[in-house]
Amino acid sequence: MDDDLEEADEVFGITPAQIVAYVEAPIDIGFWQKRFDTQDFPVIEFREICQHEPANGKGAIISAVTNHRISLSSRLIICLDSDYDNLLDNNQDLYNSDFVFQTYAYAIENFFYHPENLGSFVQECAGIDDPTTRDLPMDKVIEWSNKHFSRFCFLIDNGLDKEQVAQISDNISLGTVDECAFRPTISWERLGYFNEKGLTKDKLHIFYRGHNLEPKIYNNIVCEYLTHLRTIKKEEILRDQSISNKGRAIQQVFSQDLELKDKLLDRELDHIHEINLIHSDILEFKKAYWT
């Protein structure tokens, strides 16, 4: 902290940032702030990269670092979505830096829409309890993952056609999950490689492109499951003889805006393996430079 910042702190009671962290976009700020908060860090100022570069995005951050417009240090760090880098060992020179943090999952959306506890989350938001279907959203996403894992691995190894990758998410459904029309054979060697990275048959949702995954899980799983819960509530209202205006009661259930998209951003994520990898990286950084 330089003399001017110390003086500002004394005069105005402002605690200046000791670390600046560049992220890809505004939505990333809250996510990474929570990750660093788990380790009780000094004050960090998270900035979207467009405050330093002409545009936002991962490419802008990498360009700024590789062209030395940003000099990484214990006081200046970057936080990135892994995209396919972690899976394919791309940009490892960058990620090997102590001052670079990555999601390990494709993107932060993969965490917000992680299927574990998703049913309980929707039930809690809706105020409707249905123990018999609590695991249904998770089960359906994992079923999709198992049925389309091999196709995804094949595309990873054969040019990553974005349109074909995007089509995989069309099969996400709370109802019938269609079988994959393609049945590629993946060698044991490649399966071992993917498994070592954490990509297994039931974890496609971690490594699949988050921008394709998010709308499909939200619309086809979250919203459909909410409709299922509201239908249960409707049937309860119809059976409840103490409710005189049943139509109004049912309308209130179905018209209530639960702001699920906003609430999904605040989900508890600590049960996710890749989140704990991030926390481990942050802890190592703290031990090495801030203890």
Side-chain angles (χ1 to χ4, degrees):
M1 186 187 306
D2 61 28
D3 293 340
D4 290 341
L5 289 176
E6 287 186 352
E7 183 178 350
D9 188 24
E10 292 175 2
V11 174
F12 299 106
I14 300 171
T15 302
Q18 298 185 44
I19 302 172
V20 170
Y22 283 107
V23 299
E24 298 179 33
I27 192 174
D28 298 296
I29 293 175
F31 172 83
W32 284 105
Q33 180 72 68
K34 288 179 182 177
R35 307 284 72 79
F36 278 83
D37 282 350
T38 63
Q39 303 302 331
D40 192 26
F41 244 84
V43 178
I44 302 178
E45 180 184 348
F46 288 88
R47 301 176 183 172
E48 51 188 300
I49 190 61
C50 70
Q51 295 184 31
H52 189 280
E53 296 290 298
N56 268 338
K58 181 175 180 176
I61 296 179
I62 293 177
S63 174
V65 173
T66 55
N67 290 289
H68 308 293
R69 295 190 299 276
I70 287 179
S71 297
L72 299 179
S73 71
S74 61
R75 292 181 177 272
L76 200 160
I77 62 177
I78 59 175
C79 304
L80 304 171
D81 285 343
S82 294
D83 298 338
Y84 293 122
D85 288 350
N86 175 45
L87 193 58
L88 298 178
D89 283 334
N90 295 333
N91 292 314
Q92 291 307 295
D93 288 347
L94 179 69
Y95 292 115
N96 285 336
S97 168
D98 291 347
F99 314 123
V100 177
F101 299 86
Q102 64 169 315
T103 55
Y104 294 99
Y106 185 96
I108 63 174
E109 289 86 355
N110 298 71
F111 297 132
F112 298 145
Y113 290 86
H114 193 281
E116 189 173 350
N117 302 329
L118 188 58
S120 297
F121 166 82
V122 178
Q123 288 192 19
E124 182 179 350
C125 291
I128 302 171
D129 185 43
D130 182 24
T132 60
T133 66
R134 189 170 291 144
D135 291 335
L136 180 62
M138 178 180 67
D139 292 342
K140 286 298 180 179
V141 174
I142 292 177
E143 181 183 352
W144 164 80
S145 176
N146 275 269
K147 288 181 175 179
H148 296 273
F149 166 81
S150 295
R151 174 64 170 166
F152 177 74
C153 292
F154 175 83
L155 293 173
I156 285 285
D157 281 344
N158 291 274
L160 264 175
D161 184 290
K162 289 185 178 180
E163 183 176 346
Q164 293 184 40
V165 171
Q167 289 172 357
I168 292 176
S169 63
D170 291 341
N171 297 282
I172 295 174
S173 172
L174 194 68
T176 301
V177 180
D178 291 335
E179 295 284 349
C180 182
F182 304 90
R183 297 184 179 277
T185 300
I186 311 299
S187 71
W188 284 107
E189 180 183 2
R190 291 304 289 164
L191 280 176
Y193 171 83
F194 289 132
N195 289 347
E196 187 176 334
K197 287 291 184 178
L199 174 57
T200 58
K201 283 190 173 182
D202 59 355
K203 290 190 67 175
L204 178 54
H205 51 274
I206 286 290
F207 296 91
Y208 187 77
R209 188 172 185 267
H211 308 297
N212 296 129
L213 189 76
E214 176 184 9
K216 296 299 182 179
I217 290 188
Y218 181 75
N219 292 315
N220 299 357
I221 300 291
V222 173
C223 291
E224 287 299 315
Y225 188 58
L226 177 60
T227 298
H228 161 79
L229 293 175
R230 285 173 163 172
T231 301
I232 291 175
K233 189 66 176 178
K234 173 185 175 181
E235 293 169 355
E236 289 179 359
I237 292 171
L238 291 174
R239 292 193 302 267
D240 191 339
Q241 299 303 315
S242 67
I243 301 176
S244 57
N245 193 335
K246 298 183 186 300
R248 181 180 179 183
I250 293 170
Q251 183 183 23
Q252 287 177 340
V253 169
F254 278 84
S255 63
Q256 185 180 8
D257 182 7
L258 301 180
E259 300 179 336
L260 285 177
K261 277 194 172 183
D262 291 335
K263 291 176 180 176
L264 281 162
L265 304 184
D266 288 325
R267 286 182 70 193
E268 173 58 52
L269 304 175
D270 288 352
H271 61 281
I272 301 173
H273 172 68
E274 288 72 18
I275 287 289
N276 286 292
L277 291 179
I278 297 172
H279 291 170
S280 178
D281 289 344
I282 293 171
L283 179 59
E284 289 302 313
F285 172 66
K286 182 180 180 181
K287 287 179 178 178
Y289 300 98
W290 289 95
T291 300

